[in-house]
Amino acid sequence: MTILKLLSVFFLQLICVHVFLFDGINAQSLRVGFYNSTCPSIEAIVKNTTASFISRAPSLAPALLRMHFHDCFVRGCDGSVLINSTSGNQAEKDAIPNQSIRGFQVIDAVKSAVENICPSLVSCADILALVARDAVTLVNGPSWQVPLGRRDGRVSRSSDALANLPPPFANITQLKASFRSKGLSDKELAVLSGAHTIGVSHCNSFSNRLYNFTGRGDTDPSLDPNYIVRLRSKCSPTDATSIVEMDPGSAKTFDTSYYTLVRKRRGLFEADAALLNDNATRQYVLRQANSGGSNFFNDFAASMVKMGRIGVITGNRGEIRRICSAIN
C-alpha cells in the first residue's frame, strides 16, 4: 500500500510538471507581430475601434482591463470570460465575481471590425489582450507590445471563476498564493494591484469595512478613520447600487496615486490594504509612493505581458471563434 501511495504521488508530480512545461511552451509560442503577414492592420483596427468607445465613455477603460485580468486568471488567457451561458452550462461571465464586468460590446465591435478585414484569423483572446492594452494607453497609461498567437478556449464554467479569482476581501496570504499559482511574483501582485488607479466599485464590495468588519458593528482598523467618515457619507450599510471611485480625483486617469492612497491606509478594498502586510509588497508600495511612481509604468507594462501569457492555447489547440460570445 505504501509503495502504491508513493507511486501515485510520483505520477501526480509528473503530471503537474508536464502541465507547467506545456503551458510554458505555449506561452513561448506567442510573439509580437504574429499577424504581420496575415492581418497586418489588426492593431490599428483594434485601437481605432476601442478609442471610439472610450472617447465617449472613459469608464470603460478599467472595465476592459479588469475583463482581461478575469480572463487570464481563469483557465488562462483564452477568451473564455467572453462566452455566454447556455441552457446546459453557466459560463464564467455569470459567476458572481464577473456579474459586474462591463464592456463586452466593445469586444464584439472590435471582433466584427477585425472579421470584416481578416475573417477567421484573429482570436478573441488576442483581441481582448490588445483592447486591454489600448484601454490603458487611452487614459494616459503606459503602452506595451503585446505578444500574440493565442487561440480561443472552448470551455467556460462559472465554478472555475469562483475558484480562481481573488476576492476584494482577500488577505495577503491568499493573494500571494493566487498570484503564485499563475506564475506571478509577489512584486507583480503589487504592480498589477496598481490597476486600481482607475475605475469604481459598488459600495457592497467594501461596506463591511465601514460598518460591520468582524460582525460586531465595528470598522476595519487598517482603514484610515477619516476616510471611513467620507466613505460612510457615500455608502449606507445596505447600499448595493452606489459607486465610489477607487482612486478619488483621478479615477479616469491611469497614474501612480494608488500607491500614495494605500500608504495612507486609504485603499478601498481589504486586498489593497493587505499589500502593507508583507515585506515585498509593502516595500513596492512605499517605493512608488515616495518616488512618485518612478518606475511603475514600466513595471506595469512588463507585468501585463507576463500575465497575458498565463495558460495560453496556441498552435492547433482550441479555435478561432467567429463570434466571441459563442463557441463555434
Side-chain angles (χ1 to χ4, degrees), residues 217-231:
D218 54 346
T219 60
D220 183 349
S222 70
L223 190 59
D224 174 14
N226 293 323
Y227 198 42
I228 290 176
V229 172
R230 184 187 304 181
L231 291 173

Side-chain angles (χ1 to χ4, degrees), residues 36 67-68 82 102 109 115 157 165 171 174 246 293 310:
N36 280 356
M67 189 188 297
H68 184 41
L82 306 172
R102 300 183 302 118
E115 285 292 305
R157 293 188 294 251
L165 292 172
N171 61 39
Q174 294 166 330
M246 291 192 287
I310 295 173

Side-chain angles (χ1 to χ4, degrees), residues 93-110:
K93 67 164 58 173
D94 288 319
I96 290 174
N98 287 334
Q99 288 175 2
S100 58
I101 288 182
R102 300 183 302 118
F104 292 106
Q105 75 275 21
V106 180
I107 305 301
D108 291 341
V110 172

Side-chain angles (χ1 to χ4, degrees), residues 209-254:
R209 304 184 76 195
L210 313 179
Y211 295 103
N212 196 28
F213 188 60
T214 65
R216 301 177 180 177
D218 54 346
T219 60
D220 183 349
S222 70
L223 190 59
D224 174 14
N226 293 323
Y227 198 42
I228 290 176
V229 172
R230 184 187 304 181
L231 291 173
R232 279 182 162 183
S233 71
K234 300 176 183 293
C235 300
S236 68
T238 58
D239 190 341
T241 57
S242 298
I243 57 174
V244 173
E245 293 182 335
M246 291 192 287
D247 187 352
S250 66
K252 294 181 180 179
T253 302
F254 196 99

Side-chain angles (χ1 to χ4, degrees), residues 29-40 42-43 121-123 126 146-151 314-315 320:
S29 298
L30 302 183
R31 68 177 188 274
V32 174
F34 181 86
Y35 298 104
N36 280 356
S37 60
T38 57
C39 188
I42 172 65
E43 296 213 22
L121 285 174
V122 181
S123 69
D126 274 347
V146 179
L148 300 171
R150 299 166 188 80
R151 303 268 291 181
T314 60
I320 303 296

Side-chain angles (χ1 to χ4, degrees), residues 78-268:
D78 67 345
S80 55
V81 74
L82 306 172
I83 297 173
N84 286 338
S85 294
T86 64
S87 58
N89 178 65
Q90 186 177 55
E92 290 172 32
K93 67 164 58 173
D94 288 319
I96 290 174
N98 287 334
Q99 288 175 2
S100 58
I101 288 182
R102 300 183 302 118
F104 292 106
Q105 75 275 21
V106 180
I107 305 301
D108 291 341
V110 172
K111 177 63 171 174
S112 178
V114 171
E115 285 292 305
N116 285 338
I117 305 299
C118 309
S120 301
L121 285 174
V122 181
S123 69
C124 298
D126 274 347
I127 285 173
L128 181 50
L130 287 168
V131 167
R133 186 271 311 273
D134 292 338
V136 169
T137 305
L138 287 163
V139 290
N140 299 327
S143 185
W144 58 91
Q145 291 188 308
V146 179
L148 300 171
R150 299 166 188 80
R151 303 268 291 181
D152 294 321
R154 296 192 179 104
V155 177
S156 182
R157 293 188 294 251
S158 62
S159 57
D160 291 334
L162 288 169
N164 284 277
L165 292 172
F169 51 83
N171 61 39
I172 192 61
T173 301
Q174 294 166 330
L175 289 169
K176 288 167 65 174
S178 175
F179 275 68
R180 287 177 179 179
S181 73
K182 308 303 178 186
L184 298 171
S185 68
D186 297 347
K187 176 187 174 182
E188 286 155 346
L189 161 61
V191 172
L192 292 171
S193 295
H196 288 173
T197 187
I198 51 175
V200 298
S201 172
H202 286 94
C203 291
N204 58 357
S205 293
F206 59 87
S207 58
N208 68 306
R209 304 184 76 195
L210 313 179
Y211 295 103
N212 196 28
F213 188 60
T214 65
R216 301 177 180 177
D218 54 346
T219 60
D220 183 349
S222 70
L223 190 59
D224 174 14
N226 293 323
Y227 198 42
I228 290 176
V229 172
R230 184 187 304 181
L231 291 173
R232 279 182 162 183
S233 71
K234 300 176 183 293
C235 300
S236 68
T238 58
D239 190 341
T241 57
S242 298
I243 57 174
V244 173
E245 293 182 335
M246 291 192 287
D247 187 352
S250 66
K252 294 181 180 179
T253 302
F254 196 99
D255 56 26
T256 62
S257 56
Y258 166 80
Y259 294 104
T260 301
L261 285 173
V262 174
R263 182 188 63 183
K264 292 180 176 179
R265 297 166 55 214
R266 293 189 170 196
L268 196 59

